[in-house]
Amino acid sequence: MARTKDKAPRPGGSGAQGTRSGATASAGRPAVRSGSAAALRGAKGALAGLAVVLLVLAGILIYGVSTQRIGWAPKLALDLEGGTQMVLSPELHDQDGGDITQEQLDQAVEIIRQRVDGSGVSEAEITTQSGNNIVVAMPGVPSSETRDLIQASAQMAFRPVLLTGDGAPVPKAERTKAQDIPQPSAEPQNSSDPNWITRQLYGSYEALDCSAPQPQQQREAQPRDKAVVACDPQGNTKFILGPVAIPGTDITNAAYGMATNQQGHSTGQYAVDLQFNQEGTATFKELSERLYQIGQTSQGDPRSQFAILLDGSVVSAPSMNAVITDGRAQITGDFTEQDAKFLSEQLKYGALPVSFSIQSEQQISATLGASQLRMGILAGLIGLALVCVYSLLQYRWLGLVTISSLLVAGLLTYFAITLLGWGANYRLSLAGVAGLIVAIGQTADSFIVYFERIRDEIRAGRTIPAAVDHGWKRARQTVLASKAVNLLAAAVLYFVAVGNVRGFAFTLGLTAIADLLVVFWFTHPVMVLLTRTRYFGEGARHSGLDPRALDAVPRYRGAGRLRQPGEGDGLTIAERRRRARLAETRGEPAPEPSSGTPVADEHAMAGRPTAGPADPQEDAR
Amino acid sequence: MSNRLARFGNDLHSGKKSYPFVARRRIWLLAALALVVASLLVPVAKGGFNLGIDFTGGSEFTVSGVQDPDVHVGEQAVADSSDATGVTVTNIAPGTVRVQSEQLDDDQTLAVKGALQKAYHASDDQVTSNFVGPTWGQGVTRQALWGLVVFVVLATVLMALYFRTWKMSVSSIAAMLTTIVITAGVYSLVGFEVTPSAVIGFLTVLSYSLYDSVVVFDKVRENTAGLLDGSAPPERAARTFSEQVNLAVNQTLVRSINTSVVGILPVGSILFIGAYLLGAGTLKDLSLSLFVGIIVGTLATLFVAAPVYSALRDVEPSVRTQEHEVRERRGTAQAPVLADPVHAGPAE
């Protein structure tokens, strides 16, 4: 370029690096140079800032890994790790056509979580989705018991006990003959009346085998207003129970703790405290009076007990030891702390009359998940390689800036995902991996915007450092606009997407932010620094900024000469002037400059000294 | 190669080389219209789209690592273990078989899974099952359609705010709608499977196409600034409105090509891996819709957005006057495109 060639004879040949040494011998430099020292400082500051951010993130990550809280790799979602994912939607029994409330949903999540945890499945993740569904994700394949457990309804009821016996079925030979079973003599007076026991019921009671698994339908089919047969969860005892005295929903609270006797001293045993609401209190008072009476009059009568049923199984059948008028009951027994806790939680949450149906289920094997991950990574590497090769082809050595920027962006994204996995339990899914790969293209695109703008400025005739500064100002707007569009799109997609595909939108948004950071704090500073070097600043042949390759005639060519418009035909000003002079001497009208700014040109030519001897050097550009 | 491309870019930039995007706009718009109409008719003719089970509900099983992927073995296994209808068994990738059927309930799904495992001598962790209930599928469909509507509306609003002239917004929306319809038509014609991943990729393409329009119309605005009120510098005023629009499109052509290529490269890589090595799945659906969409979207911006804008502006009397004046000044009916001394001035 003409400019630098002008300085070539200067000692040291520092050329474009003249600005580095500050203002020395820079007097008379055109205005575009004076801001470049500030630009340089800004560039270095930005790079330093980025380095600090990266170091801090790396530090956090290293801390986390060294204290064994997380691994180097990001947490993986189900489709990469293998496992089962079920989406459950709740079905309400009590309220027909009512919508499930948030509290109910949360409680349901708790129930399922406890049940799944209790059944030995570790690391199950249970979350809600769309305010209505429950998503259960667990590693491996759940056993059928676990699946039942998850779908199970949680009906709770209090029924008075009428009869109890051993859980095993009575051998056929010993069963009471039908005609020998006493028929109910009258209508049952209250829920403890033995008249509830019909012949059929008694027969099924004797035949019941408690150790056999009870199908869900049978459990749900227990009528509330009739006597039923039930077992305890362990299968050891069976019961005939009267109709429902108090529904589980009348419980307001349940807790466990050390039992206290009448005097308030701790008895060294665990107990479960139960609290009813107003309605429940009234009914319970009545029930307790009756059962206590029975207990006092005939010792050991099972009818002094009342059964707490959850899901049709009798989880507890305490006997009534006192008349309870305030609705606060304390259940004592052979409880370990664990038993007491479990029962109290069952009581607390078991009051929820909700069951679930499986809406969708995916089972992905671990090997399949691993192979999908491998393929995803492979695709990413290939894509990255292709983009890098393309950048090098298009922008020559400038492509190195693209590659390094992509790597920095990748590093930022990696930190973000891994640390989010730690902090917010974010899991990377296959769709997320796809989003990361697609983002490679979008990130590279913002670099293209920048480089093309720089090239535009060079074509218009600016020197390269000036082109970088001016090109940045305009490219900045475009990059911000495009990233804003990307982020907005990612946000909309995130809320609109379903399930796993949401991960795609998330990583797109994440990489848009990383891209912004990289363009502002890495790519531009690097460009500023690079163009201060001789290779890039002078537009060497393969630097990607070669003005000759861009057909660029510099607008301002140093020493007061401006480019004549229409000079794209390759003539230098000197040549044109020569031709004009020749034409004049021949008496022809001087060829008009095709269009442009003749005024400015004349002004420049008049106001500034022309450096005549420099002309021949220009032609040798 | 880069040098040639750089020269190509230079020529486009200065106006030496110019493709008649706007000049031949009638042809392009007619062609676009024809494609749109065809794309609307194809789904009708073919009876809709090939929807994945996430939309229709159903059961799907994928058996990988199969030594002998014979589809009949799978069909037999399914027939034996359940009374499912609508069963299709396909060999989607080397060593991978996929079985799709209408909705089985949860227990039947497990039964079929076991049967397939035995039939293909696969181990438990080589079989993946996917079951989608009917209401879930409906919910997903609803959500996808909602997403599309929300996106288009949001994009319209954004465009209106950004461009502040309704004609630019309308043109870019027209390009976006063309992209949507033609991509849907391609999907229907070829029978690609439409899954939530495909829909997501599709919506992403819309944001691409939006961004493309922003780039082109920014340049158009730059090029046509001051043309109508006479404040344009002389070399710009020497050209007609539509020529300036055309020049803007040409100047951003290299940039568009670069962006599309760079966008397509990683997508193509995912597509190759996803389609060939993995068979069907998230990767393939996402990348396919992105691939088709990016190509159609880029073409739509070039051949629909700018020509429509030019056509819309052409009905304005001030534009007509400007074009008339310029042509008179030139003294010819034809409008040659001259070299353009581009100004590297401050952003206007």
Side-chain angles (χ1 to χ4, degrees):
Chain A
M1 287 189 55
R3 212 96 166 275
T4 47
K5 288 273 188 343
D6 280 343
K7 279 161 229 28
R10 275 183 48 207
S14 40
Q17 278 143 2
T19 49
R20 284 241 184 92
S21 46
T24 56
S26 301
R29 281 293 87 97
V32 74
R33 282 276 176 147
S34 63
S36 63
L40 206 61
R41 253 179 285 126
K44 289 184 179 165
L47 281 176
L50 183 67
V52 166
V53 167
L54 284 175
L55 280 175
V56 166
L57 289 175
I60 299 178
L61 185 62
I62 292 175
Y63 167 70
V65 172
S66 58
T67 58
Q68 305 264 323
R69 281 169 227 244
I70 46 168
W72 286 113
K75 282 199 187 163
L76 296 176
L78 214 63
D79 51 1
L80 294 178
E81 218 173 31
T84 307
Q85 175 175 291
M86 287 187 261
V87 177
L88 308 165
S89 81
E91 283 169 3
L92 293 172
H93 288 290
D94 273 0
Q95 300 140 253
D96 298 280
D99 254 348
I100 188 168
T101 65
Q102 188 59 37
E103 293 81 31
Q104 282 180 311
L105 201 65
D106 289 341
Q107 282 188 345
V109 169
E110 273 309 306
I111 296 182
I112 295 179
R113 181 170 297 140
Q114 281 151 29
R115 289 174 177 182
V116 169
D117 283 349
S119 72
V121 178
S122 62
E123 291 199 27
E125 279 173 17
I126 304 172
T127 49
T128 56
Q129 189 187 71
S130 329
N132 220 1
N133 295 328
I134 294 185
V135 179
V136 179
M138 60 180 81
V141 179
S143 62
S144 53
E145 291 91 43
T146 315
R147 303 174 94 249
D148 287 341
L149 206 61
I150 291 171
Q151 293 178 82
S153 140
Q155 291 272 25
M156 175 167 273
F158 291 78
R159 291 174 184 259
V161 175
L162 299 176
L163 209 58
T164 87
D166 191 70
V170 176
K172 282 226 171 72
E174 297 172 28
R175 286 188 205 166
T176 327
K177 299 258 188 329
Q179 48 266 47
D180 293 338
I181 305 175
Q183 282 271 45
S185 50
E187 281 296 302
Q189 300 286 338
N190 52 44
S191 51
S192 298
D193 197 328
N195 279 323
W196 282 111
I197 305 177
T198 63
R199 265 201 187 138
Q200 201 184 15
L201 196 64
Y202 195 76
S204 59
Y205 169 74
E206 288 203 322
L208 185 61
D209 181 2
C210 279
S211 48
Q214 300 247 7
Q216 178 73 14
Q217 289 93 325
Q218 278 195 350
R219 272 187 260 157
E220 282 174 9
Q222 288 178 335
R224 300 173 66 89
D225 52 356
K226 290 204 171 53
V228 294
V229 181
C231 292
D232 70 343
Q234 288 78 26
N236 298 330
T237 327
K238 54 180 153 183
F239 302 84
I240 295 187
L241 307 167
V244 174
I246 307 174
T249 42
D250 278 356
I251 300 176
T252 51
N253 202 9
Y256 75 99
M258 286 299 233
T260 51
N261 60 12
Q262 310 286 47
Q263 284 77 35
H265 293 295
S266 159
T267 60
Q269 276 191 323
Y270 279 98
V272 177
D273 295 309
L274 191 56
Q275 166 121 42
F276 288 104
N277 64 10
Q278 213 171 23
E279 221 174 276
T281 304
T283 325
F284 195 66
K285 175 167 169 249
E286 213 182 284
L287 188 70
S288 65
E289 281 168 352
R290 193 186 339 129
L291 296 188
Y292 184 63
Q293 197 62 36
I294 296 174
Q296 295 292 74
T297 47
S298 46
Q299 292 282 354
D301 190 342
R303 295 190 313 142
S304 67
Q305 293 173 287
F306 69 94
I308 307 177
L309 282 101
L310 183 59
D311 267 352
S313 301
V314 178
V315 295
S316 182
S319 55
M320 199 69 81
N321 286 343
V323 174
I324 296 166
T325 49
D326 59 357
R328 288 173 204 274
Q330 188 178 77
I331 304 175
T332 52
D334 253 347
F335 291 139
T336 64
E337 186 184 358
Q338 200 63 8
D339 293 336
K341 180 164 183 256
F342 193 58
L343 182 60
S344 76
E345 303 208 304
Q346 282 180 317
L347 287 169
K348 235 197 302 198
Y349 301 117
L352 188 69
V354 185
S355 71
F356 297 93
S357 64
I358 296 186
Q359 284 296 317
S360 108
E361 177 173 345
Q362 278 176 303
Q363 285 180 359
I364 299 172
S365 70
T367 47
L368 199 68
S371 98
Q372 289 198 323
L373 179 63
R374 237 189 354 257
M375 294 301 160
I377 295 180
L378 185 64
L381 288 175
I382 294 180
L384 191 62
L386 285 174
V387 168
C388 291
V389 165
Y390 183 75
S391 298
L392 284 173
L393 279 176
Q394 263 290 73
Y395 295 107
R396 302 299 166 114
W397 288 123
L398 215 54
L400 285 180
V401 177
T402 312
I403 296 176
S404 53
S405 304
L406 278 174
L407 288 177
V408 172
L411 198 62
L412 271 175
T413 314
Y414 163 71
F415 282 141
I417 290 185
T418 316
L419 291 176
L420 274 175
W422 182 14
N425 205 26
Y426 170 72
R427 287 179 177 273
L428 187 64
S429 66
L430 195 58
V433 170
L436 290 175
I437 300 175
V438 168
I440 296 176
Q442 303 212 345
T443 309
D445 173 57
S446 48
F447 305 142
I448 290 180
V449 168
Y450 185 28
F451 293 159
E452 285 298 324
R453 263 300 176 195
I454 297 179
R455 281 185 166 180
D456 273 357
E457 300 286 330
I458 295 178
R459 282 194 191 107
R462 283 197 200 276
T463 66
I464 293 181
V468 165
D469 291 334
H470 283 261
W472 171 241
K473 287 198 184 69
R474 305 181 86 173
R476 195 171 46 190
Q477 283 175 311
T478 318
V479 167
L480 277 174
S482 93
K483 290 307 139 191
V485 169
N486 275 355
L487 267 176
L488 192 64
V492 172
L493 287 179
Y494 185 82
F495 287 113
V496 146
V498 169
N500 268 347
V501 205
R502 198 166 265 191
F504 180 73
F506 185 79
T507 44
L508 268 191
L510 194 65
T511 43
I513 299 175
D515 182 13
L516 256 179
L517 284 174
V518 165
V519 169
F520 273 78
W521 284 359
F522 186 78
T523 315
H524 175 57
V526 164
M527 283 302 289
V528 169
L529 289 176
L530 271 185
T531 52
R532 300 303 194 257
T533 65
R534 199 182 318 172
Y535 185 73
F536 283 99
E538 297 177 14
R541 231 180 115 214
H542 287 293
S543 68
L545 295 175
D546 185 5
R548 282 161 290 190
L550 301 175
D551 270 358
V553 177
R555 180 182 182 80
Y556 181 76
R557 307 174 78 191
R561 292 154 302 169
L562 283 177
R563 169 170 65 102
Q564 288 278 11
E567 264 185 340
D569 51 2
L571 288 179
T572 63
I573 295 183
E575 282 180 321
R576 186 166 282 110
R577 275 187 234 135
R578 258 184 247 127
R579 289 189 191 181
R581 261 177 272 134
L582 284 173
E584 269 178 46
T585 53
R586 283 198 223 117
E588 288 159 12
E592 283 280 321
S594 47
S595 54
T597 57
V599 177
D601 223 318
E602 281 169 7
H603 193 263
M605 289 210 294
R608 311 264 190 108
T610 52
D615 279 353
Q617 283 181 354
E618 275 188 55
D619 297 354
R621 187 166 64 90
Chain B
M1 175 251 223
S2 156
N3 233 9
R4 242 184 300 137
L5 200 55
R7 289 213 177 279
F8 177 62
N10 299 336
D11 293 340
L12 283 177
H13 196 270
S14 61
K16 258 199 230 150
K17 197 179 221 147
S18 175
Y19 293 107
F21 292 115
V22 170
R24 299 245 185 88
R25 61 176 180 237
R26 270 200 208 107
I27 301 182
W28 308 135
L29 289 181
L30 274 177
L33 197 63
L35 280 175
V36 163
V37 168
S39 304
L40 287 172
L41 289 179
V42 162
V44 172
K46 282 198 109 187
F49 297 93
N50 176 12
L51 296 175
I53 65 162
D54 284 285
F55 289 116
T56 58
S59 293
E60 186 179 272
F61 307 87
T62 311
V63 188
S64 56
V66 173
Q67 300 286 3
D68 175 25
D70 183 8
V71 294
H72 296 293
V73 169
E75 282 167 4
Q76 192 65 36
V78 176
D80 287 342
S81 60
S82 73
D83 50 3
T85 58
V87 178
T88 48
V89 182
T90 38
N91 184 357
I92 51 173
T96 309
V97 175
R98 185 169 78 170
V99 177
Q100 282 175 315
S101 79
E102 49 94 51
Q103 298 145 16
L104 305 171
D105 72 24
D106 211 27
D107 299 314
Q108 281 180 312
T109 304
L110 291 175
V112 169
K113 182 180 178 211
L116 282 172
Q117 205 178 305
K118 266 200 228 87
Y120 283 111
H121 310 293
S123 63
D124 187 40
D125 60 357
Q126 283 172 314
V127 183
T128 291
S129 73
N130 195 350
F131 158 75
V132 176
T135 44
W136 181 248
Q138 283 168 14
V140 169
T141 312
R142 207 173 37 235
Q143 219 167 357
L145 286 175
W146 249 123
L148 195 60
V149 167
V150 163
F151 210 92
V152 173
V153 166
L154 211 61
T156 313
V157 168
L158 265 179
M159 289 289 100
L161 287 174
Y162 186 80
F163 288 131
R164 289 181 294 274
T165 67
W166 67 271
K167 294 193 175 169
M168 274 187 183
S169 317
V170 164
S171 320
S172 42
I173 298 297
M176 189 165 68
L177 289 177
T178 314
T179 314
I180 295 177
V181 173
I182 295 186
T183 311
V186 168
Y187 258 75
S188 178
L189 183 66
V190 182
F192 293 140
E193 199 181 11
V194 179
T195 64
S197 315
V199 174
I200 284 279
F202 193 56
L203 293 179
T204 313
V205 161
L206 294 187
S207 78
Y208 254 137
S209 117
L210 221 58
Y211 170 52
D212 229 7
S213 308
V214 167
V215 165
V216 171
F217 281 128
D218 255 352
K219 198 72 179 157
V220 165
R221 235 208 291 237
E222 197 180 304
N223 279 11
T224 57
L227 261 188
L228 295 178
D229 53 17
S231 60
E235 68 276 3
R236 199 187 297 166
R239 282 194 250 155
T240 71
F241 193 85
S242 20
E243 277 167 9
Q244 282 293 89
V245 173
N246 200 43
L247 185 65
V249 178
N250 277 286
Q251 284 171 337
T252 51
L253 188 61
V254 171
R255 156 85 185 284
S256 284
I257 292 179
N258 262 340
T259 306
S260 306
V261 169
V262 155
I264 282 215
L265 283 177
V267 170
S269 147
I270 305 178
L271 185 60
F272 168 72
I273 298 274
Y276 182 65
L277 290 178
L278 277 183
T282 314
L283 287 185
K284 174 182 170 222
D285 300 328
L286 255 177
S287 52
L288 189 60
S289 65
L290 280 173
F291 196 80
V292 173
I294 290 180
I295 294 178
V296 175
T298 313
L299 293 175
T301 314
L302 294 174
F303 291 106
V304 174
V308 166
Y309 179 65
S310 170
L312 283 176
R313 292 303 294 259
D314 229 16
V315 296
E316 287 172 25
S318 50
V319 171
R320 289 240 167 112
T321 327
Q322 196 260 357
E323 307 226 340
H324 187 67
E325 282 173 5
V326 168
R327 293 227 176 83
E328 268 194 8
R329 239 181 288 150
R330 279 194 206 137
T332 58
Q334 261 303 346
V337 178
L338 303 172
D340 174 54
V342 176
H343 291 260
E348 289 157 32

